[in-house]
């Protein structure tokens, strides 16, 4: 078990380095000059060179990367060009907000997805199964910014039940666990949950239907076990694969919420990315992508660590 | 091969333990209705081993699964009567059925590697069954599981209790399956081709083990196989199935030593053994019938070299040619 985990951890190192190099260099492929956003249009060449040197942009790209990486491992991701605040600080606040949103969306997505998937898997081929599959496919296919706007139109504009944007009254960014703040969460969380709900429903349905068709389930019936006990067997057999699907979805919830956070002006990493892209705020962009990518790597590592606890064949074979 | 004594007879008594009467099983999942079992009548005396012999698709496994009622209920219909120990299996409630399965009757499957839950330790899988049927706590059940592994001669059974199925070989897994099946002292053992998926050398070991277990505990046993040699080795009686019907049944020596039904004769002639080296194998011409479109009258008639007009005129009668030997063929009908 320890050896297995150490191996997984070791694999993660080159992935992290590649990821950091990719997100550093990708930014340079994008059109636009970060300095044009900061400097006045008529700035002299002298000032341009001076500011370039200040941000380290006069050095070759690989040197810039090495310097950036060196600072990044100590937690210093530079200073945001847009706000002038440290990037790490900006991301720290945003990631908390995104995590809260993602946590709510995943609780919604995973409970509904697993429940629907179980029902459809147990009744595979029936009308119920087809209805659930239709719901799952629409969850995956509906563009979620559109879904967000529709929900806003219904629940904020027409019914005036829930706020349309923000994470708290008066543009507050600090999260608190009370109803005043929770109200802001409901619409973005539901919108964000649509895709993972669909994907998890479909995966769990396939897994459960597949497990139920296995000979050992017939053998469990032949042992005289009740359907309830057999259900536990089915869950334990489906769990390892379901877990990896859930892990990937959790990562997407963190990173893939750009559109949803933008629609609802939710002050998370998605909105931060959006802002960084439009302001050509390169340090902020690089920092945010890096943190999100590392988050993915960390999640996969966590899934890898949990899987052998659920499936003995992974670590013991 | 066929001249074996009947040691199992020490447990045999004359009262029937299992009575299957006009069993019909149809599957209706696809476009066509498939008639897998078409009126099987079988009587098993207490402690007797019946070999159910036939080729693939003859309905022998389906008969066994109908007896346990483990066929998919949405896609299959079972009619007729199956009485085990005086109770009608087809009338049992879900609760009674769950008590019956694994308690009074237990089953050994063909593929041990596929029939055990891959994410449960083998010991826990036996314990689960023992707790369910014997009403004892987990600790006592674990001792029972250990005892069962000892019956089937698994080396270092204590450590094997905590092994997962993927850590054991096919032969060892089949021993585990047998231990699991015997753990709750069933009165009826259903073995569905338990040696077919194993290596040849392991096949014999498992077969000998099953015979040993049967003699030790004296369960009434149905042993499904397509292998004439295996049936001869383990059975007291043999029932030969073709197209969902028992075409011939009787004591093992009589049926395999002096087969009457043309299908049984063909089956025995097409069996390969050492003394046939260099000789031509006499296979049965044609192929088994489509169970969705059974031929009129005798299902074997299109392949039978003795076929006559009477064969296709109507269903062939079941003729008792001696006190304990039945043949389903018009040729034996009293004139």
């Amino acid at each position: 078990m320890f050896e297995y985990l150490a191996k997984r951890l070791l694999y993660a190192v080159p992935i992290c380095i590649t990821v950091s190099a990719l997100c550093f260099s990708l930014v340079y492929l994008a059109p636009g000059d970060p300095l044009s956003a900061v400097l006045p249009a008529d700035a002299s060449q002298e000032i341009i060179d001076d500011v370039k040197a200040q941000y380290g942009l006069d050095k070759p790209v690989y040197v810039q990367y090495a310097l950036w990486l060196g600072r990044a491992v100590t937690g210093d991701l530079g200073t945001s060009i847009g706000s002038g605040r440290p990037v790490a600080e900006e991301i720290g606040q945003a990631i908390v907000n995104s995590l809260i949103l993602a946590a709510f969306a995943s609780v919604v997505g995973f409970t509904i997805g697993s429940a629907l998937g179980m029902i459809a898997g147990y009744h595979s081929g029936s009308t119920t199964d087809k209805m659930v599959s239709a719901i799952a496919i629409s969850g995956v296919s509906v563009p979620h910014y559109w879904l967000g706007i529709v929900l806003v139109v219904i629940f904020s504009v027409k019914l005036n039940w829930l706020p349309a944007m923000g994470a708290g009254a008066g543009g507050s960014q600090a999260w608190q666990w009370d109803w005043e703040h929770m109200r802001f969460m409901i619409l973005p969380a539901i919108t964000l949950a649509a895709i993972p709900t669909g994907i998890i429903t479909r995966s769990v349905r396939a897994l459960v239907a597949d497990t139920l068709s296995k000979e050992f389930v017939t053998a469990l019936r032949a042992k005289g076990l009740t359907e309830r006990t057999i259900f536990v067997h089915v869950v334990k057999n489906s769990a390892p694969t379901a877990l990896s699907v859930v892990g990937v979805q959790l990562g997407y919830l963190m990173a893939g919420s750009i559109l949803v956070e933008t629609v609802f002006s939710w002050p998370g990493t998605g909105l931060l990315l959006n802002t960084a892209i439009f302001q050509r705020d390169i340090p902020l962009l690089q920092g945010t992508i890096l943190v999100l990518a590392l988050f993915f790597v960390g999640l996969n590592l966590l899934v890898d660590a949990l899987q052998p606890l659920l499936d003995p064949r992974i670590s013991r074979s | 091969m066929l001249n074996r004594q009947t040691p199992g007879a020490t447990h045999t008594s004359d009262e029937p333990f299992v009575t299957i009467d006009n069993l019909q099983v149809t599957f209706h999942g696809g476009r066509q209705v498939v008639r897998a079992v078409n009126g099987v009548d079988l009587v098993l005396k207490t402690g007797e081993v019946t070999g159910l012999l036939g080729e693939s698709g003859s309905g022998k496994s389906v008969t066994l699964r109908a007896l346990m009622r483990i066929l998919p209920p949405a896609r299959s219909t079972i009619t007729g009567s199956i009485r085990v120990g005086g109770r009608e299996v087809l009338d049992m409630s879900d609760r009674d059925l769950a008590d019956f399965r694994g308690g009074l009757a237990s089953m050994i499957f063909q593929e041990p590697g596929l029939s055990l839950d891959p994410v449960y330790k083998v010991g826990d899988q036996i314990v689960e069954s023992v707790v369910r049927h014997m009403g004892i706590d987990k600790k006592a059940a674990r001792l029972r599981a250990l005892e069962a592994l000892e019956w089937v001669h698994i080396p270092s059974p204590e450590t094997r209790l905590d092994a997962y199925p993927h850590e054991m070989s096919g032969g060892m897994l089949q021993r585990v399956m047998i231990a699991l099946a015997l753990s709750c002292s069933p009165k009826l053992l259903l073995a569905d081709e338990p040696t077919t998926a194993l290596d040849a050398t392991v096949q014999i070991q498992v077969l000998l083990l099953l015979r040993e277990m049967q003699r030790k505990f004296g369960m009434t046993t149905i042993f499904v196989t397509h292998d004439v040699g295996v049936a001869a080795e383990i059975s007291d009686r043999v029932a030969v199935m073709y197209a969902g019907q028992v075409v011939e049944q009787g004591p093992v020596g009589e049926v395999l030593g002096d087969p009457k039904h043309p299908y049984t004769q063909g089956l025995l002639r097409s069996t390969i053994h050492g003394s046939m080296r260099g000789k031509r194998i006499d296979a049965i011409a044609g192929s088994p019938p489509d169970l969705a479109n059974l031929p009129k009258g005798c299902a074997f008639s299109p392949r039978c070299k003795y076929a006559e007009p009477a064969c296709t005129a109507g269903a062939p009668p079941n003729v008792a040619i001696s006190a304990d030997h039945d043949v389903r063929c018009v040729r034996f009908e009293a004139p």
Side-chain angles (χ1 to χ4, degrees):
Chain A
M1 183 70 192
F2 177 75
E3 195 189 326
Y4 167 83
L5 277 183
K7 227 188 247 175
R8 292 282 133 187
L9 215 56
L10 214 62
Y11 287 156
V13 173
I15 295 175
C16 289
I17 292 174
T18 317
V19 158
S20 69
L22 270 177
C23 57
F24 185 85
S25 50
L26 271 179
V27 172
Y28 279 86
L29 297 176
D33 182 355
L35 292 179
S36 62
V38 196
L39 294 168
D42 56 352
S44 69
Q45 190 58 41
E46 210 169 291
I47 296 176
I48 294 178
D49 289 344
D50 191 40
V51 174
K52 258 192 179 173
Q54 206 182 317
Y55 282 101
L57 295 171
D58 54 341
K59 300 187 181 74
V61 174
Y62 58 89
V63 177
Q64 287 185 40
Y65 170 65
L67 287 172
W68 174 74
L69 191 65
R71 285 197 304 270
V73 289
T74 65
D76 176 12
L77 293 168
T79 310
S80 161
I81 295 177
S83 70
R85 291 172 61 203
V87 169
E89 206 174 286
E90 296 254 356
I91 297 174
Q93 178 66 50
I95 229 166
V96 171
N97 287 331
S98 276
L99 265 178
I100 292 167
L101 190 61
F104 266 78
S106 43
V107 168
V108 171
F110 303 155
T111 33
I112 297 181
S114 309
L116 285 180
M118 288 276 180
I119 293 168
Y122 255 90
H123 300 92
S124 77
S126 69
T127 321
T128 321
D129 178 26
K130 281 168 194 147
M131 269 166 57
V132 169
S133 294
I135 295 172
I137 290 172
S138 32
V140 177
S141 326
V142 166
H144 48 359
Y145 53 88
W146 178 83
L147 180 64
I149 292 166
V150 168
L151 288 178
V152 165
V153 167
I154 296 172
F155 291 99
S156 305
V157 180
K158 297 272 183 221
L159 298 170
N160 200 19
W161 287 352
L162 295 165
M165 52 170 56
S172 144
Q173 299 213 345
W175 179 256
Q176 274 176 334
W177 294 102
D178 55 21
W179 173 240
E180 266 318 300
H181 285 81
M182 300 275 261
R183 300 172 57 224
F184 285 86
M185 163 94 61
I186 296 173
L187 291 184
I190 289 175
T191 312
L192 197 55
I195 290 181
T197 306
I199 292 176
I200 290 163
T201 303
R202 285 161 59 89
S203 313
V204 170
R205 182 212 166 271
L207 277 169
V208 168
D210 178 59
T211 307
L212 282 172
S213 70
K214 294 265 167 70
E215 180 79 343
F216 77 79
V217 174
T218 308
L220 291 175
R221 292 216 170 88
K223 281 202 319 195
L225 298 188
T226 54
E227 282 305 316
R228 199 163 31 150
T229 320
I230 294 172
F231 177 73
V232 177
H233 279 260
V234 171
V235 170
K236 283 196 179 174
N237 272 276
S238 313
T241 318
L243 182 73
S244 59
V245 176
V246 164
V248 172
Q249 288 309 310
L250 206 63
Y252 280 132
L253 281 184
M254 282 299 292
S257 54
I258 299 179
L259 293 172
V260 175
E261 289 189 359
T262 306
V263 166
F264 289 97
S265 296
W266 185 266
T269 46
L271 191 62
L272 200 62
L273 263 182
N274 192 23
T275 317
I277 291 167
F278 282 106
Q279 294 185 348
R280 304 264 174 260
D281 192 342
I282 287 187
L284 186 59
L285 191 55
Q286 284 168 334
T288 313
I289 297 176
L290 180 72
V291 169
L292 289 177
L294 292 184
F295 192 79
F296 253 101
V297 174
L299 261 180
N300 279 318
L301 207 61
L302 188 69
V303 168
D304 281 347
L306 286 177
Q307 257 179 336
L309 299 179
L310 298 174
D311 190 341
R313 284 168 296 183
I314 292 174
S315 64
R316 311 224 324 188
S317 58
Chain B
M1 182 173 76
L2 302 179
N3 55 350
R4 68 178 280 269
Q5 301 82 28
T6 50
T10 47
H11 301 291
T12 312
S13 82
D14 276 346
E15 89 200 70
F17 186 65
V18 179
T19 313
I20 299 176
D21 210 10
N22 193 25
L23 180 70
Q24 313 239 3
V25 181
T26 53
F27 291 102
H28 33 77
R31 283 162 183 276
Q32 292 170 312
V33 173
V34 174
R35 309 181 58 85
V37 176
N38 304 297
V40 162
D41 302 314
L42 271 180
V43 175
L44 277 79
K45 292 180 189 145
T46 306
E48 199 173 53
V49 180
T50 301
L52 211 51
L53 190 60
E55 61 197 297
S56 310
S58 59
K60 47 196 198 312
S61 282
V62 176
T63 303
L64 219 56
R65 282 166 190 247
L67 217 159
M68 283 292 241
R69 276 178 61 190
I70 52 173
L71 294 165
R75 280 177 285 133
S76 59
T77 310
I78 310 173
T79 59
S81 159
I82 301 170
R83 297 187 73 79
V84 177
R87 295 183 59 200
E88 177 58 56
V89 176
L90 298 186
D91 289 345
M92 282 183 187
S93 66
D94 287 350
R95 190 76 224 173
D96 288 347
L97 196 61
D99 289 339
F100 165 74
R101 294 168 176 163
L104 189 65
S106 65
M107 188 155 172
I108 302 168
F109 290 81
Q110 181 170 346
E111 293 264 11
L114 302 178
S115 313
L116 289 162
D117 188 328
V119 305
Y120 279 63
K121 290 175 183 169
V122 296
D124 293 344
Q125 304 197 39
I126 302 176
V127 166
E128 187 176 46
S129 198
V130 172
V131 169
R132 167 79 182 79
H133 291 290
M134 298 179 84
I136 54 179
D137 64 15
K138 274 199 171 164
K139 217 172 148 196
R142 197 176 155 87
L143 287 176
R144 177 73 178 178
L146 184 65
E147 191 188 0
L149 290 190
E150 280 162 359
W151 292 338
V152 297
H153 315 302
I154 286 185
S156 51
E158 190 99 39
T159 46
R160 285 304 192 179
L161 277 177
D162 292 320
Y164 286 97
H166 72 275
E167 296 170 321
M168 298 173 84
S169 68
M172 278 299 141
L173 282 181
Q174 196 57 297
R175 286 173 190 266
V176 169
M177 271 311 276
I178 294 168
L180 171 64
L182 299 178
S183 61
C184 302
S185 309
K187 294 265 190 299
L188 174 64
L189 182 67
L190 307 172
D192 188 4
E193 306 228 22
T195 59
T196 307
L198 305 173
D199 289 345
T201 49
V202 181
Q203 274 189 11
I204 295 172
Q205 292 170 7
V206 169
L207 192 64
L208 292 176
L209 173 70
L210 272 167
R211 199 164 71 183
E212 179 196 334
M213 292 298 116
Q214 200 278 328
R215 283 180 199 165
K216 182 169 174 173
F217 299 106
M219 308 79 69
T220 309
T221 303
I222 304 182
F223 196 103
V224 163
T225 180
H226 64 263
D227 187 323
V228 178
V230 167
E233 199 61 47
I234 199 152
S235 315
D236 299 314
R237 282 172 58 82
V238 170
V240 181
M241 284 192 76
Y242 185 80
Q245 284 191 320
V246 174
V247 292
E248 180 164 7
Q249 59 174 311
V252 63
E254 260 184 62
V255 174
L256 299 183
D258 182 20
K260 297 293 185 205
H261 195 280
Y263 176 68
T264 317
Q265 292 172 354
L267 195 65
L268 284 169
R269 269 201 305 274
S270 55
T271 305
I272 304 168
H273 47 84
S275 62
M276 293 168 63
R277 192 183 172 88
K279 288 184 197 160
R280 194 172 174 280
I281 295 165
D282 195 0
I284 305 173
S287 53
D290 176 6
L291 294 174
N293 294 297
L294 283 172
K296 215 169 165 297
C298 173
F300 186 63
S301 60
R303 301 172 77 183
C304 181
K305 57 183 170 188
Y306 307 109
E308 48 186 281
C311 295
T312 48
N318 197 29
V319 186
I321 54 167
S322 73
D324 193 25
H325 188 169
D326 293 357
V327 180
R328 197 179 286 273
C329 181
V330 289
R331 295 169 65 230
F332 297 93
E333 205 169 9

